[in-house]
Amino acid sequence: MARIPAYKQMYISLKTDIKEGRYVPGSFLPTESEMEAIYGVSRTTVRRAIGMLEQEGYLSVTQGRGTEVQDISTSQHLNQITSFTETLRRRGYHVTTQGFAMEKIPAPAFVREVFPLKNGDQMYHIQRVQCADGKPVCILENYLMADLIPGFSMAESDCVSLYACLEHDYGIILKHAVEHISAVSASFTQSQILRVPVNAPLLHSKRITCTEQGPFEYSSLYVVAERYEYQIYLSGRD
């Protein structure tokens, strides 16, 4: 497993503490000097980790006042990268994985069309079916850049939340993504897996996700339309 830089470790730890309620909205983090002592890191590391969380809307830094924890339930609607699993869990569903396969393969041609890859470059290909409260709702395929996660391995028990695994175990910080959503009809194979009639409406999502190093993930999801919805939050006009 790759060694995770100190600023990423601190970023992940603070983000987890905020999401799990150890730092509640409206409270203030310890001072920079106190954070240095708590985490055993430099002032530069503290500021870099806090800066990343501020960009994502988790924190607000005010000179002379301190670093305040924000209410992510309202501040994370715009430009927030979340996984399918995280979205379901926030809505109160119990999420499980039904079927899992992972292999290292040469990058497919359709991925090479959008990623800076050559013929023969390797990717990790992960396939799984996600269930909400025991009902299959989504077929997922993820293609991950192999050279950014050397030695990557994942057990079926870890694959319920892929993004959480990548963040906590490999220090992968997702910076931005482009997602395309379209309506399709369920094929025979999809209908058997998702337990819906042939030609039932599905939502097809294709996402390209990037880290600081550039494109990292290509994902394809087929979601049962009647069991899931996307919410888009709009703000103001130019």
Side-chain angles (χ1 to χ4, degrees):
M1 186 180 300
R3 184 181 182 279
I4 303 174
Y7 76 91
K8 287 188 178 181
Q9 293 182 36
M10 183 176 174
Y11 159 88
I12 293 166
S13 179
L14 276 174
K15 186 175 182 179
T16 300
D17 287 345
I18 293 169
K19 292 174 75 172
E20 294 182 355
R22 296 186 185 92
Y23 292 112
V24 298
S27 66
F28 287 82
L29 295 186
T31 64
E32 288 185 347
S33 58
E34 289 171 335
M35 299 286 269
E36 288 180 67
I38 292 171
Y39 289 93
V41 296
S42 68
R43 182 69 57 94
T44 300
T45 296
V46 170
R47 290 179 174 174
R48 188 168 184 181
I50 288 175
M52 292 171 66
L53 290 166
E54 185 180 21
Q55 286 184 343
E56 294 182 7
Y58 285 88
L59 300 173
S60 176
V61 181
T62 305
Q63 188 68 30
R65 196 158 174 262
T67 303
E68 184 178 2
V69 178
Q70 300 299 295
D71 184 355
I72 60 172
S73 66
T74 58
S75 66
Q76 293 301 301
H77 293 319
L78 296 176
N79 302 320
Q80 175 70 16
I81 301 172
T82 58
S83 71
F84 180 78
T85 299
E86 290 168 340
T87 301
L88 288 177
R89 283 176 170 169
R90 288 174 185 173
R91 295 180 183 175
Y93 290 102
H94 175 62
V95 184
T96 55
T97 296
Q98 175 184 294
F100 168 80
M102 186 179 82
E103 58 182 340
K104 194 174 183 180
I105 62 171
F110 64 87
V111 177
R112 296 200 309 273
E113 289 178 1
V114 292
F115 276 39
L117 294 169
K118 302 185 296 294
N119 191 18
D121 284 349
Q122 299 288 296
M123 303 194 84
Y124 289 102
H125 179 210
I126 301 171
Q127 301 177 81
R128 55 210 162 109
V129 177
Q130 295 292 73
C131 300
D133 291 344
K135 295 181 179 180
V137 292
C138 182
I139 301 171
L140 298 92
E141 285 191 85
N142 305 85
Y143 297 85
L144 310 177
M145 293 277 283
D147 62 348
L148 294 182
I149 44 174
F152 178 70
S153 63
M154 190 178 193
E156 183 171 350
S157 58
D158 298 327
C159 74
V160 175
S161 182
L162 174 62
Y163 283 1
C165 173
L166 291 168
E167 187 173 79
H168 286 271
D169 295 343
Y170 294 89
I172 295 296
I173 307 301
L174 305 176
K175 300 299 291 184
H176 60 268
V178 176
E179 188 162 3
H180 299 269
I181 302 169
S182 59
V184 298
S185 299
S187 67
F188 174 77
T189 301
Q190 291 166 341
S191 73
Q192 296 302 298
I193 295 172
L194 296 171
R195 303 177 200 168
V196 296
V198 174
N199 294 324
L202 303 179
L203 296 174
H204 183 204
S205 165
K206 294 184 290 184
R207 177 187 289 185
I208 298 171
T209 310
C210 300
T211 68
E212 294 172 332
Q213 288 75 39
F216 169 70
E217 176 210 29
Y218 180 97
S219 66
S220 174
L221 289 72
Y222 289 93
V223 187
V224 178
E226 66 179 17
R227 300 176 194 164
Y228 191 77
E229 67 177 17
Y230 281 88
Q231 293 181 329
I232 301 173
Y233 293 81
L234 308 176
S235 178
R237 285 172 53 84
D238 288 337

